[in-house]
Coordinates of all heavy atoms in Angstrom, one line a residue:
G134 N -48.5 -35.5 29.5 CA -48.5 -36.6 30.7 C -47.5 -37.6 30.5 O -47.1 -38.3 31.4
A139 N -38.7 -36.4 35.5 CA -39.4 -36.2 36.7 C -39.0 -34.9 37.4 O -39.9 -34.2 37.9 CB -39.2 -37.3 37.7
D142 N -40.8 -32.0 35.5 CA -42.1 -32.0 35.3 C -43.0 -32.4 36.4 O -44.2 -32.2 36.5 CB -42.6 -32.8 34.0 CG -41.9 -32.2 32.8 OD1 -41.6 -31.1 32.7 OD2 -41.7 -33.1 31.8
G143 N -42.4 -33.2 37.4 CA -43.1 -33.8 38.4 C -43.9 -32.9 39.4 O -45.1 -33.3 39.7
A144 N -43.6 -31.7 39.5 CA -44.3 -30.9 40.5 C -45.5 -30.1 39.7 O -46.1 -29.3 40.3 CB -43.4 -29.9 41.1
L145 N -45.6 -30.3 38.4 CA -46.7 -29.6 37.7 C -48.1 -30.1 38.1 O -48.3 -31.2 38.5 CB -46.5 -29.9 36.2 CG -45.2 -29.2 35.6 CD1 -45.1 -29.7 34.1 CD2 -45.0 -27.8 35.8
P147 N -50.8 -31.1 36.7 CA -51.6 -32.4 36.4 C -51.2 -33.6 37.0 O -51.9 -34.6 37.0 CB -51.3 -32.5 34.8 CG -50.5 -31.2 34.4 CD -50.2 -30.5 35.6
F148 N -50.0 -33.5 37.7 CA -49.5 -34.7 38.4 C -49.8 -34.7 39.9 O -49.5 -35.7 40.7 CB -48.0 -34.8 38.1 CG -47.6 -34.9 36.6 CD1 -46.8 -34.1 36.1 CD2 -48.2 -35.9 35.9 CE1 -46.4 -34.0 34.7 CE2 -48.0 -35.9 34.4 CZ -47.1 -35.0 33.9
R149 N -50.1 -33.6 40.4 CA -50.4 -33.4 42.0 C -51.5 -34.4 42.4 O -52.6 -34.2 41.9 CB -50.5 -32.0 42.3 CG -49.2 -31.2 42.2 CD -49.2 -29.8 42.7 NE -48.0 -29.2 42.6 CZ -47.2 -29.0 43.7 NH1 -47.6 -29.3 44.9 NH2 -46.1 -28.4 43.4
N150 N -51.2 -35.0 43.5 CA -52.2 -35.8 44.0 C -52.9 -36.8 43.1 O -54.1 -37.2 43.2 CB -53.4 -35.1 44.7 CG -52.8 -34.0 45.8 OD1 -52.0 -34.5 46.6 ND2 -53.1 -32.8 45.6
K151 N -52.0 -37.3 42.2 CA -52.6 -38.3 41.2 C -51.7 -39.6 41.3 O -50.6 -39.6 41.8 CB -52.4 -37.8 39.8 CG -53.3 -36.4 39.6 CD -54.8 -36.8 39.4 CE -55.6 -35.6 39.3 NZ -55.2 -34.6 38.5
D152 N -52.3 -40.6 40.6 CA -51.4 -41.9 40.5 C -50.5 -41.8 39.3 O -51.0 -41.4 38.1 CB -52.3 -43.1 40.4 CG -53.1 -43.5 41.6 OD1 -52.9 -42.8 42.7 OD2 -53.8 -44.5 41.7
L153 N -49.2 -42.1 39.4 CA -48.3 -42.1 38.3 C -47.5 -43.3 38.1 O -47.4 -44.1 39.0 CB -47.3 -40.9 38.6 CG -47.8 -39.6 39.1 CD1 -46.7 -38.6 39.5 CD2 -48.6 -38.8 38.0
V154 N -47.0 -43.5 37.1 CA -46.1 -44.6 36.9 C -44.7 -44.1 36.4 O -44.6 -43.1 35.8 CB -46.6 -45.8 35.7 CG1 -47.7 -46.4 36.2 CG2 -46.6 -45.1 34.3
V155 N -43.7 -44.9 36.7 CA -42.3 -44.7 36.4 C -41.9 -46.0 35.8 O -42.1 -47.0 36.3 CB -41.4 -44.3 37.6 CG1 -39.8 -44.3 37.2 CG2 -41.7 -43.0 38.2
I156 N -41.3 -46.0 34.6 CA -40.8 -47.1 33.9 C -39.3 -47.2 34.1 O -38.6 -46.3 33.9 CB -41.1 -47.0 32.4 CG1 -42.5 -46.5 32.1 CG2 -40.8 -48.4 31.7 CD1 -43.6 -47.2 32.6
E165 N -36.5 -41.0 40.3 CA -37.6 -40.3 39.9 C -38.9 -40.6 40.6 O -39.6 -39.8 41.1 CB -37.8 -40.7 38.4 CG -36.7 -40.3 37.4 CD -37.1 -39.9 36.1 OE1 -38.1 -40.2 35.7 OE2 -36.3 -39.2 35.4
A166 N -39.0 -42.0 41.1 CA -40.2 -42.4 41.7 C -40.2 -41.8 43.0 O -41.2 -41.2 43.5 CB -40.3 -43.9 41.7
Y168 N -38.9 -39.0 44.1 CA -38.9 -37.5 43.9 C -40.5 -37.3 43.6 O -41.2 -36.4 44.3 CB -38.3 -37.0 42.8 CG -38.4 -35.6 42.5 CD1 -37.9 -34.6 43.2 CD2 -39.2 -35.2 41.3 CE1 -38.0 -33.2 42.9 CE2 -39.4 -33.8 41.2 CZ -38.9 -32.8 41.9 OH -39.1 -31.5 41.6
L169 N -41.1 -38.2 42.9 CA -42.5 -38.0 42.5 C -43.5 -38.1 43.7 O -44.6 -37.6 43.7 CB -43.0 -38.9 41.2 CG -42.2 -38.6 40.0 CD1 -42.7 -39.6 38.9 CD2 -42.9 -37.2 39.6
T170 N -42.9 -39.0 44.7 CA -43.9 -39.2 45.7 C -44.2 -38.0 46.6 O -45.1 -37.9 47.4 CB -43.4 -40.3 46.9 OG1 -42.0 -39.9 47.2 CG2 -43.2 -41.7 46.0
F172 N -45.3 -35.3 45.4 CA -46.5 -34.7 44.9 C -47.7 -35.5 44.6 O -48.8 -35.3 44.7 CB -46.2 -34.0 43.6 CG -44.8 -33.3 43.5 CD1 -43.7 -33.9 43.0 CD2 -44.6 -32.1 44.3 CE1 -42.4 -33.3 42.9 CE2 -43.4 -31.5 44.3 CZ -42.3 -32.1 43.7
A173 N -47.2 -36.9 44.2 CA -48.3 -37.7 43.7 C -49.0 -38.4 45.0 O -48.5 -38.6 46.0 CB -47.6 -38.9 42.8
S174 N -50.2 -39.0 44.6 CA -50.7 -39.9 45.7 C -50.2 -41.2 45.7 O -49.8 -41.9 46.7 CB -52.3 -40.0 45.5 OG -52.6 -40.2 44.2
K175 N -49.8 -41.7 44.5 CA -49.1 -43.1 44.5 C -48.3 -43.2 43.2 O -48.6 -42.6 42.2 CB -50.2 -44.1 44.4 CG -49.7 -45.6 44.7 CD -50.9 -46.6 44.8 CE -50.7 -47.6 43.9 NZ -51.9 -48.4 43.7
V176 N -47.1 -43.8 43.4 CA -46.2 -44.0 42.2 C -46.0 -45.5 42.0 O -45.5 -46.2 42.9 CB -44.8 -43.3 42.4 CG1 -43.9 -43.5 41.2 CG2 -45.1 -41.8 42.7
S177 N -46.2 -46.1 40.8 CA -45.9 -47.4 40.5 C -44.7 -47.5 39.7 O -44.7 -46.9 38.7 CB -47.1 -48.2 39.8 OG -48.2 -47.8 40.4
I178 N -43.6 -48.3 40.0 CA -42.6 -48.5 39.3 C -42.8 -49.8 38.5 O -43.0 -50.9 39.0 CB -41.3 -48.7 40.2 CG1 -41.0 -47.3 40.9 CG2 -40.0 -49.2 39.4 CD1 -39.9 -47.4 41.8
V179 N -42.8 -49.6 37.2 CA -43.1 -50.7 36.2 C -41.7 -51.2 35.8 O -41.0 -50.4 35.0 CB -43.9 -50.3 35.1 CG1 -44.1 -51.5 34.1 CG2 -45.3 -49.9 35.6
K200 N -45.4 -44.8 49.5 CA -46.3 -44.4 48.4 C -45.9 -45.0 47.2 O -46.4 -44.8 46.1 CB -46.0 -42.9 48.1 CG -46.9 -41.9 49.0 CD -46.8 -40.5 48.6 CE -47.7 -39.6 49.2 NZ -47.5 -38.2 48.7
E202 N -45.3 -48.6 44.9 CA -45.5 -49.9 44.7 C -44.7 -50.3 43.4 O -44.3 -49.7 42.5 CB -47.1 -50.3 44.4 CG -47.5 -49.9 43.1 CD -48.9 -50.5 42.6 OE1 -49.4 -51.4 43.4 OE2 -49.2 -50.2 41.5
L204 N -44.3 -53.0 40.2 CA -44.9 -53.9 39.3 C -43.8 -54.6 38.5 O -43.3 -54.0 37.6 CB -45.9 -53.3 38.5 CG -47.1 -52.6 39.0 CD1 -47.9 -51.7 38.1 CD2 -48.0 -53.6 39.8
V221 N -52.6 -46.6 31.5 CA -51.5 -47.4 30.7 C -52.0 -48.9 30.7 O -52.5 -49.4 31.6 CB -50.1 -47.2 31.5 CG1 -50.2 -47.7 33.0 CG2 -48.9 -48.0 30.8
K234 N -54.5 -49.7 33.6 CA -54.2 -49.0 35.0 C -54.5 -47.5 34.8 O -53.8 -46.9 34.0 CB -52.9 -49.3 35.4 CG -52.6 -48.8 36.8 CD -51.1 -49.1 37.2 CE -50.8 -48.5 38.5 NZ -51.7 -48.8 39.6
P235 N -55.4 -46.8 35.5 CA -55.6 -45.4 35.3 C -54.4 -44.7 36.0 O -54.1 -45.0 37.2 CB -57.0 -45.2 36.2 CG -57.4 -46.6 36.4 CD -56.4 -47.6 36.5
I236 N -53.9 -43.8 35.3 CA -52.7 -43.0 35.7 C -52.8 -41.6 35.2 O -53.6 -41.4 34.1 CB -51.4 -43.6 35.5 CG1 -51.3 -43.8 34.0 CG2 -51.0 -44.6 36.3 CD1 -49.9 -43.9 33.4
A237 N -52.3 -40.5 35.7 CA -52.2 -39.2 35.3 C -50.8 -38.9 34.6 O -50.7 -37.9 33.8 CB -52.6 -38.2 36.3
G238 N -49.8 -39.7 35.0 CA -48.6 -39.3 34.5 C -47.7 -40.6 34.2 O -47.8 -41.6 34.9
F239 N -46.9 -40.6 33.1 CA -46.2 -41.6 32.6 C -44.7 -41.2 32.5 O -44.4 -40.5 31.6 CB -46.6 -42.1 31.3 CG -46.0 -43.3 30.6 CD1 -46.5 -44.6 30.7 CD2 -44.9 -43.1 29.8 CE1 -45.9 -45.7 30.3 CE2 -44.3 -44.2 29.1 CZ -44.8 -45.5 29.4
F240 N -43.8 -41.6 33.4 CA -42.4 -41.1 33.4 C -41.5 -42.2 33.1 O -41.6 -43.4 33.5 CB -42.2 -40.5 34.8 CG -42.9 -39.2 35.3 CD1 -44.2 -39.3 35.7 CD2 -42.2 -38.0 35.0 CE1 -44.8 -38.0 36.0 CE2 -42.8 -36.9 35.2 CZ -44.2 -36.8 35.8

Side-chain angles (χ1 to χ4, degrees):
D142 299 331
L145 297 176
F148 304 124
R149 286 185 179 257
N150 303 311
K151 299 281 171 49
D152 288 1
L153 310 174
V154 294
V155 172
I156 315 303
E165 297 211 345
Y168 179 76
L169 290 172
T170 58
F172 321 103
S174 42
K175 192 172 133 196
V176 179
S177 308
I178 294 177
V179 175
K200 278 193 179 180
E202 75 164 355
L204 300 173
V221 60
K234 183 178 175 56
I236 49 151
F239 181 90
F240 288 85

